[in-house]
Every structure is written in C-alpha cells, then in structure tokens.
Amino acid sequence: MNDKDKLDEKWTFFSNNAHVLVCLTQKPQPTAREIAIQVGITERAVQRILKKMLVAGVLQARKVGRRNYYELDLGQRLRHPLEAHKTIGEFLKLIDS
C-alpha cells in the first residue's frame, strides 16, 4: 500500500461516541442495533458507548416495555479541553444546521 492509498482510507472527523450521540437525536430514537448499523460498529460497541454516557450523566435511560429511550442532557459540557467551552446541545445544533 502506497502513501496515497493510506491517505485515502476511510476516516471521519467525529468519533463513534459523537455518531451515537447524533443518532440519539433522531425521531423516533433508533434501537442499539439500528444505531450500530448507522454508525458502522457492533451493537456491543454501541452498548458500551451508551453505558459510558449514562455513567457520565450525558443521558438518562427510561425503559418502556422492552425498549430503552434516552434523554440527553443538552447542557452538559463537551469533555475534551478543546471543546469544553461548548455544550452537547451546541454541538448537536452545529451538526443539525
């Protein structure tokens, strides 16, 4: 593989965590399986990301029947020092505009 091929490899500007967060804003909210398909990761990876976000207080879960629904804390600050001056809501607004 030459250098140009390496540069052309598929990559994105956002992490899988950000992709999962964006998926949770869809109406109706997708299931973990649907999120996994959209993001291109395993369902287990989605579950790990959701658990980290729950523990961090980024979202809360509400069970309805056999399904979980998530409520995002849009006022929560982003976690990296470079973005910590912005909230999750501001990030999602940027992505959605």
Side-chain angles (χ1 to χ4, degrees), residues 23 29-44 46-47 50 66-67 70:
C23 287
Q29 272 188 3
T31 63
R33 174 172 284 164
E34 292 165 337
I35 293 171
I37 291 167
Q38 286 182 286
V39 175
I41 58 178
T42 66
E43 190 173 346
R44 189 78 174 130
V46 170
Q47 291 167 346
L50 291 172
R66 294 179 51 191
R67 194 165 171 168
Y70 298 95

Side-chain angles (χ1 to χ4, degrees), residues 50-68:
L50 291 172
K51 183 170 183 161
K52 282 191 247 180
M53 289 182 181
L54 285 163
V55 169
V58 172
L59 40 100
Q60 292 186 11
R62 176 174 45 93
K63 195 153 191 79
V64 178
R66 294 179 51 191
R67 194 165 171 168
N68 288 326

Side-chain angles (χ1 to χ4, degrees), residues 73-89:
D73 179 356
L74 299 178
Q76 181 96 232
R77 297 263 172 213
L78 295 174
R79 295 173 57 92
H80 193 281
L82 288 173
E83 299 96 26
H85 64 286
K86 296 291 184 182
T87 65
I88 290 172

Side-chain angles (χ1 to χ4, degrees), residues 6-14:
K6 289 179 186 174
L7 292 174
D8 287 340
E9 287 182 33
K10 186 179 175 185
W11 62 276
T12 66
F13 282 102
F14 298 113

